């Protein structure tokens, strides 16, 4: 049998009951594996020797013998056990190290977006980080590291993808979480030391600053390394004057200790090569070029082998909408950051909250010569809800009303300038007009930030009110889901130059 025979046999046997995904068919020594769906779920189909089929859990416990040559057929769940077996047979399904090349993260909150994401990456020389979720996102979506990674890998399998991809444990704050993500097979770790970054320095007077500064262990030693040192960066020269240096040491030294501790743990614990990102983007203050320089020089001094650094760049970075701020000013300052990264070398600049920041992408990728990383997540969720609005307007209206009710509670953890009064009244617009809500910043942000409440809401009987119906509609209209989503991500990728 070859792949075509296998597909022909399968469709003859099951007709419309199970439909195979033709691109997913993979073979290993006359054993065949592919994905199929019925009208409710997706399955792994294994056609092969009895011994191979034995390694998979089937929905029908008995294998069906399909010919006298000893071939059996099993229809199996998309569960973790089966994926483990599959990954042993096809090592390309394991995530891998990215290193210093252009990369792009596509967070997937529902866990069904990977095939669409992969379609967007087609023909692009950009390394995809297909599994990418933060601890905070997982709490809101009730997912965990394993589920996030497994869903992305099943997506790779469905799409027949054999290329490389990464898995990013995003915004991890402590060693316990790092360990859990490493145990599940993540290959990239984004350490967020924001809990250790001193935040209120601006409000302190000289005396208070000195008191605090004197408490920092080895402050003089660090000071001596940098005080009045000059660094040529592009056309400019950066100097660590006493005032700026003290402020930077005060702000970041404890956070850097935490990063070093996390790195030491990972280095010993994770056996394979891994990508490390340091993220100081979620801080109240913008990261100055001088602070950037200090952070990377200190990380290097401590021997931290990191690949990416996410800074808090100039401007207002809000979820799911364009960049807000003076783009020219951003470009000028970013130029310095990019020059620092090039001068020191060995790492990439990473942009978080990268969803829909189309105006920034050309600057970001050109200044870094394409050597950058970008993270998106919410924009995929928005495309998915847009498809719900297109295909089930009534459900969308319910979600929209619910989001409005929960907005006040959910906005707390976000930086937003949203104005609910600018959102058209849902009762006065037609079904066809619902899609326009996804072109309007306020309604985009409304749906963006309430995703956790929407996905977790249950009725008295403990059943999800929206989540199951969202999955159902996206399953039913899978083609539309994949098309809208991949077009949208492609629009992002198209603005990046790769090296
Ligand atoms: Zn971030």
């Amino acid at each position: 049998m070859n792949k075509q025979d296998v597909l022909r046999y399968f469709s003859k046997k099951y007709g419309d009951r199970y439909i195979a995904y033709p691109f997913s068919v993979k073979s290993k020594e006359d054993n065949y594996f592919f994905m199929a769906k019925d009208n409710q779920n997706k399955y792994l189909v294994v056609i092969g020797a009895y011994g191979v089929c034995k390694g998979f859990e089937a929905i029908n416990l008995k294998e069906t013998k399909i010919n006298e040559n000893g071939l059996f057929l099993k229809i199996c769940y998309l569960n973790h056990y089966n994926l483990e077996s599959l990954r042993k047979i096809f090592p390309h399904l394991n995530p891998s190290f990215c290193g210093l090349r252009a990369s792009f993260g596509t967070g997937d909150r529902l866990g069904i977006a990977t095939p669409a994401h992969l379609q967007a990456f087609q023909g692009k020389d950009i390394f995809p980080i297909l599994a990418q979720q933060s601890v905070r996102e997982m709490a809101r979506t009730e997912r965990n590291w394993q589920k996030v990674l497994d869903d992305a890998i099943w997506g790779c399998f469905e799409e027949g993808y054999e290329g490389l991809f990464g898995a990013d444990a995003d915004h991890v704050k402590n060693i316990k979480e790092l360990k859990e993500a490493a145990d599940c097979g993540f290959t990239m770790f984004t350490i967020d030391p924001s809990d250790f970054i001193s935040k209120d320095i601006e409000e302190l007077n000289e005396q208070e600053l000195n008191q605090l500064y004197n408490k920092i262990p080895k402050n003089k030693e660090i000071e001596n390394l940098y005080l009045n040192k000059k660094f040529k960066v592009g056309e400019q020269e950066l100097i660590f004057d006493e005032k700026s240096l003290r402020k930077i040491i005060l702000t970041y030294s404890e956070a850097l200790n935490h990063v070093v501790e996390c790195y030491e743990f990972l280095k010993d614990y994770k056996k394979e090569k891994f990508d490390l990102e340091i993220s100081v983007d979620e801080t109240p203050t913008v990261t100055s070029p001088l602070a950037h320089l200090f952070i990377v020089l200190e990380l290097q001094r401590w021997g931290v082998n990191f690949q990416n650094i996410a800074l808090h760049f100039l401007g207002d970075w809000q979820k799911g909408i364009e960049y807000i701020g003076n783009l020219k000013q951003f470009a000028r300052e970013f130029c310095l950051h990019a020059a620092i990264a090039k001068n020191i070398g060995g790492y990439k600049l990473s942009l978080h909250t990268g969803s829909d920041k189309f105006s920034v992408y050309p600057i970001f990728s050109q200044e870094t010569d394409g050597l950058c990383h970008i993270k998106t997540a919410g924009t995929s969720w928005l495309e998915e809800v847009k498809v719900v609005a297109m295909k089930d307007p009534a459900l969308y209206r319910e979600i929209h009303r619910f989001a409005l009710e929960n907005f006040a509670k959910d906005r707390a953890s976000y930086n937003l300038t949203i104005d609910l009064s600018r959102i058209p009244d849902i009762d006065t617009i037609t079904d066809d007009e619902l899609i326009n809500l996804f072109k309007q910043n306020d309604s985009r942000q409304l749906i963006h930030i309430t995703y956790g409440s929407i996905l977790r809401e249950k009725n008295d009987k403990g059943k999800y009110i929206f989540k199951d119906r969202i999955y159902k509609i996206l399953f039913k209209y899978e083609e539309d889901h994949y098309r809208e989503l991949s077009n949208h991500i492609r629009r992002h990728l198209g603005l990046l130059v790769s090296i």
Side-chain angles (χ1 to χ4, degrees), residues 341-396:
K342 272 182 210 167
N343 265 18
I344 295 182
Y347 69 97
K348 296 184 279 187
L349 288 173
S350 172
L351 178 68
H352 288 203
T353 314
S355 290
D356 305 280
K357 304 295 178 294
F358 300 112
S359 60
V360 171
Y361 279 28
I363 301 168
F364 205 80
S365 67
Q366 271 159 28
E367 291 298 333
T368 56
D369 297 333
L371 201 57
C372 58
H373 179 58
I374 291 183
K375 297 195 188 193
T376 65
T379 204
S380 289
W381 154 253
L382 282 171
E383 284 303 300
E384 285 164 330
V385 183
K386 187 184 89 184
V387 175
V388 171
M390 287 159 62
K391 297 297 170 190
D392 190 345
L395 173 58
Y396 177 74

Side-chain angles (χ1 to χ4, degrees), residues 170-171 279 281-282 352-353:
D170 196 9
H171 277 281
S279 74
D281 63 310
E282 293 202 4
H352 288 203
T353 314

Side-chain angles (χ1 to χ4, degrees), residues 10 75 81 133 169 175 220 252 272 289 418 497:
F10 187 75
I75 294 178
Y81 178 86
Q133 202 115 116
I175 288 177
K220 279 283 163 228
Y252 294 105
E272 308 85 31
I418 177 174
V497 292

Side-chain angles (χ1 to χ4, degrees), residues 196-211:
F196 299 91
I197 290 177
S198 306
K199 294 174 184 83
D200 309 316
I201 297 177
E202 296 299 329
E203 283 137 47
L204 301 180
N205 62 35
E206 185 110 8
Q207 201 191 347
E208 290 168 322
L209 278 173
N210 282 338
Q211 264 177 5

